[in-house]
Amino acid sequence: MLRPLTSRARTRLVRPLHATALRASSLFDPKGVERPEDDVDVCIVGGGPAGLSAAIRLKQLERERGKDIRVVVLEKGGETGAHILSGAVIEPRALNELLPNWQSHPDHPLTQPATSDTMRFFTSKYSFPIPHPPQMSNNGNYIVSLSEVTRWLAGIAENEYGVEIYPGFAAAQLLFSKTADSKDPWGNPVRSVRGVITNEVGLTKHYTMKPSFEPGMAFKAKVTLLAEGAHGSLSKLAIQKYQLRNESQPQTYGIGVKEVWRVDPSQYEPGKVVHTLGWPLDSSTYGGGWVYHMDRGLVSLGLVIGLDYPNPYLSPYRELQRMKHHPYYRKLLAGAERLAYGGRVLNEGGLQSIPKLNFPGGALIGCSAGFVNIAKIKGTHNAMKSGMLAADAAYDAVHSPSASEVSEADSEAEPAADMSAYDTALRSSWVWDDLYEVRNLRPSFNTSLGLWGGIAYSGVDSLFLKGRVPWTFKHAPVEDLHNYKNSKSLDAAHTQRASQHKPIDYPAYEPPLSTDLMTSVALTGTNHAEDQPIHLRVVETCEFMRESEAGLIERAESGAVLETEWGTVDRKATRRKHVEVNVKEYAGLLGRACPAGVYEYVEAEPGDKAAAEEGWDGKKLVINSQNCIHCKLCDVKVPTQDITWTVPEGGGGPKYNLT
């Protein structure tokens, strides 16, 4: 049941306390919950560059055209920018369009222009300069902390334009219309999106209600924009429900792991940009490193590894630590202090992997759709522009004649917002041109050309052909596309059995140059409320979506069998099968792949009843969800495709500020 907010709650959006002694410790029933609700014009899920650009542009249109529009941004991080991680070198093209006078802001964070570009090829002991594609030229670009840029944009959105931004509000479910009132982009009758529901607060890991329990809030919106970043949880559900990948290739991803250091002044070269290929990665693994000399004596360094890597023994974190043992990094980091660490998946699929962008009632923007230009190693400019284009379409949809004829009290009768104009506009914009030119570079590495052939092809294409060829390489054969139209991961399918590889012999850590994983995770500031439901579910996405729509919820005490309208689900059997396949065939891949130490396949203690029921061959799965830095790698890379990342209580997760 939905219940309107009081005027005070509308103003502050602070969750009022409703818990009583009678219901404390009782089992949470999602079907019978009474939720506060709020009506907005546009609800934006995600307070990153795309979401904030959309919000600012909407309020600019309000000023230009004279019709009010209420814009709400829901951000799952404890503060705006807390979950933002990138290299980052920013191309300011979209920013120049959004805020032409941004340089006049005294507190803007784009203070370090890029001054030089180099690319180097690494062996284990040496590095050699090599030519870099012209797309990687950074003339006119800025080296930034994207977390700082996001906080700055949020301040402009709130203070100068009146956008309502609510950190700590984690959108957990899509709010659908009661009946099939619309058609998806392919003409099938569907329920439209009418907003989102935020996560419950104050549940134990067994889904009983604490005295502090508060139900999630329903934000009913005329337009819902999903700006969650790469592989967002609600974006996944929308893509699957509305079959948005019917005409596109599957998305592919890389995992970026990075650190920020304060280096010795003798090693600091402000504005210097370096990209690397080769060691420590082998010839079957796509990826590369970077070193960006930021402002204030800081250096950002890191490694991106394509998640289509075949060897299950590979550890992205250990590869980053090994990379720093190279003489180039030893010199750079001598006497330096490490200040930050983080990890996040990024889209690598490019033009071929862009899905249909609109669905009934909303749209995908930014990295929820996937606009990273992998040749430039940049996506912020495209993400921001997509948000601006979506804002144009959303403003028109909110103020369309059909919308104005329906009273607020009868909002369910209002036709679902049609955001197809946004999809059309983006495909006619410079974002499309930006991605079209480099569409063949990343997939060339997965052709019969191999790694060295991919490097050669990319050089010829980027230098001379510039995408002006009649072919477009595919990430997956056309005959296999039916396997990846919804939530299945192409990157996971590239993972080979452990029997085909040998364990990687990583060198010992050499503190402070290289450290163990938990020392690094401490630098992220990640934290989650104790005794809350585990947000990393051992359940396939398609099954989770059905449960979400039906108002069901997986209970962690739930080894018990769950009866649903589509059949019986045995949670313990599901978990047992996960452990068997991932340990037996893939040597417990997630135990190495996760850059935060969330997953462990451990030996069960004698007499451990849960391990006997949910484990295999003496092994059980332990999920240290409190360590999670929200990178989404597990959801993408697990070979069994049965880990679904969902949002924890709002405010949990990393607290990035320099990344």
Side-chain angles (χ1 to χ4, degrees), residues 350-428:
L351 190 84
Q352 295 91 317
S353 299
I354 295 176
K356 196 73 172 174
L357 299 174
N358 61 287
F359 50 82
L364 305 171
I365 64 175
C367 286
S368 282
F371 299 119
V372 172
N373 183 318
I374 201 64
K376 289 183 176 181
I377 318 181
K378 295 176 185 65
T380 303
H381 62 301
N382 288 337
M384 293 178 67
K385 181 63 174 180
S386 74
M388 295 156 63
L389 292 171
D392 292 340
Y395 187 90
D396 290 340
V398 168
H399 292 297
S400 67
S402 61
S404 61
E405 292 171 1
V406 180
S407 67
E408 182 176 338
D410 194 24
S411 59
E412 187 70 27
E414 181 179 329
D418 180 4
M419 289 289 292
S420 58
Y422 157 58
D423 185 275
T424 301
L426 188 130
R427 294 170 194 269
S428 301

Side-chain angles (χ1 to χ4, degrees), residues 544-580:
F544 178 79
M545 185 180 77
R546 289 197 299 262
E547 292 180 11
S548 178
E549 281 202 61
L552 297 172
I553 192 165
E554 179 190 0
R555 296 186 171 93
E557 62 181 344
S558 69
V561 172
L562 179 64
E563 297 291 344
T564 72
E565 60 190 80
W566 51 86
T568 299
V569 179
D570 187 337
R571 294 294 190 216
K572 291 182 178 179
T574 300
R575 200 175 181 101
R576 184 166 58 249
K577 186 65 176 178
H578 169 94
V579 175
E580 177 182 359

Side-chain angles (χ1 to χ4, degrees), residues 23-179:
R23 73 178 182 183
S25 300
S26 60
L27 193 62
F28 173 60
D29 178 9
K31 287 187 173 182
V33 68
E34 182 183 3
R35 301 184 184 281
E37 68 174 47
D38 199 8
D39 291 298
V40 305
D41 291 318
V42 180
C43 180
I44 301 172
V45 181
L52 293 171
S53 296
I56 291 171
R57 179 59 185 152
L58 281 162
K59 300 300 276 188
Q60 289 174 339
L61 290 168
E62 177 184 73
R63 293 180 182 181
E64 294 169 10
R65 302 185 189 179
K67 292 184 178 180
D68 291 345
I69 189 163
R70 187 178 177 210
V71 181
V72 163
V73 177
L74 304 180
E75 166 56 44
K76 65 182 173 67
E79 61 182 37
T80 310
H83 291 178
I84 298 294
L85 182 140
S86 180
V89 177
I90 283 187
E91 180 179 315
R93 184 174 184 178
L95 182 60
N96 292 338
E97 293 183 13
L98 181 67
L99 301 169
N101 299 318
W102 64 266
Q103 289 178 310
S104 66
H105 284 256
D107 58 344
H108 77 77
L110 284 77
T111 53
Q112 180 56 67
T115 58
S116 66
D117 298 282
T118 58
M119 177 168 272
R120 305 189 71 86
F121 186 85
F122 275 35
T123 66
S124 60
K125 295 183 179 180
Y126 303 101
S127 71
F128 308 94
I130 58 176
H132 65 73
Q135 292 86 356
M136 294 181 72
S137 173
N138 284 295
N139 184 38
N141 297 336
Y142 295 85
I143 304 173
V144 300
S145 157
L146 195 57
S147 177
E148 290 181 346
V149 171
T150 301
R151 285 194 293 276
W152 171 67
L153 284 174
I156 291 174
E158 281 190 305
N159 301 327
E160 298 187 21
Y161 289 98
V163 174
E164 300 173 50
I165 302 176
Y166 300 118
F169 281 67
Q173 300 177 55
L174 295 171
L175 183 60
F176 295 106
S177 60
K178 296 175 183 176
T179 61

Side-chain angles (χ1 to χ4, degrees), residues 43 45-46 74-76 169-174 196-199 226 228 233-234 647-648:
C43 180
V45 181
L74 304 180
E75 166 56 44
K76 65 182 173 67
F169 281 67
Q173 300 177 55
L174 295 171
V196 299
I197 300 173
T198 63
N199 215 352
L226 301 181
E228 303 173 289
S233 53
L234 296 189
V647 292

